[in-house]
Amino acid sequence: MMEEKKEKAARKFRGQPAIVKLLQEQVGSGQSIKSFCAAHGIAEGTFHNWKHKYAGEVDARSGFTTVQIIPEPGLFAMVVGIKIYQPVSAAYLKELLA
């Protein structure tokens, strides 16, 4: 029997805005990376490379935010101009951002 050769899909160039949009779409979809990549014709390795490269540009709804460390004695965190001088939970900080 002759085996059929599976042709590789043509590579598609995507610019930074398109990549960031796809990363945000995957986060919002609730799909696994594997199923999202299969549905959009993206190699999983490529998708993981994008996640690593553009991690700071994905929407804050992904569960992460930028934290600026300011050396001030006794200061635990500063969120939206509010200074917090004792340890608080991540959930509390997240509520302050909402």
Side-chain angles (χ1 to χ4, degrees), residues 33-65:
I33 290 175
K34 185 174 185 172
S35 64
F36 183 84
C37 288
H40 290 82
I42 303 167
E44 285 182 63
T46 299
F47 190 85
H48 285 288
N49 287 341
W50 290 346
K51 270 185 78 170
H52 178 74
K53 185 173 182 179
Y54 299 108
E57 299 179 37
V58 176
D59 192 1
R61 288 178 286 176
S62 68
F64 294 94
T65 188

Side-chain angles (χ1 to χ4, degrees), residues 26-98:
Q26 188 276 325
V27 169
S29 73
Q31 286 182 296
S32 68
I33 290 175
K34 185 174 185 172
S35 64
F36 183 84
C37 288
H40 290 82
I42 303 167
E44 285 182 63
T46 299
F47 190 85
H48 285 288
N49 287 341
W50 290 346
K51 270 185 78 170
H52 178 74
K53 185 173 182 179
Y54 299 108
E57 299 179 37
V58 176
D59 192 1
R61 288 178 286 176
S62 68
F64 294 94
T65 188
T66 304
V67 176
Q68 183 180 7
I69 299 173
I70 304 168
E72 185 176 318
L75 183 65
F76 175 74
M78 189 162 104
V79 181
V80 195
I82 301 169
K83 293 182 179 183
I84 302 169
Y85 290 93
Q86 62 184 9
V88 295
S89 68
Y92 181 81
L93 293 173
K94 188 174 179 181
E95 282 295 315
L96 288 175
L97 292 171

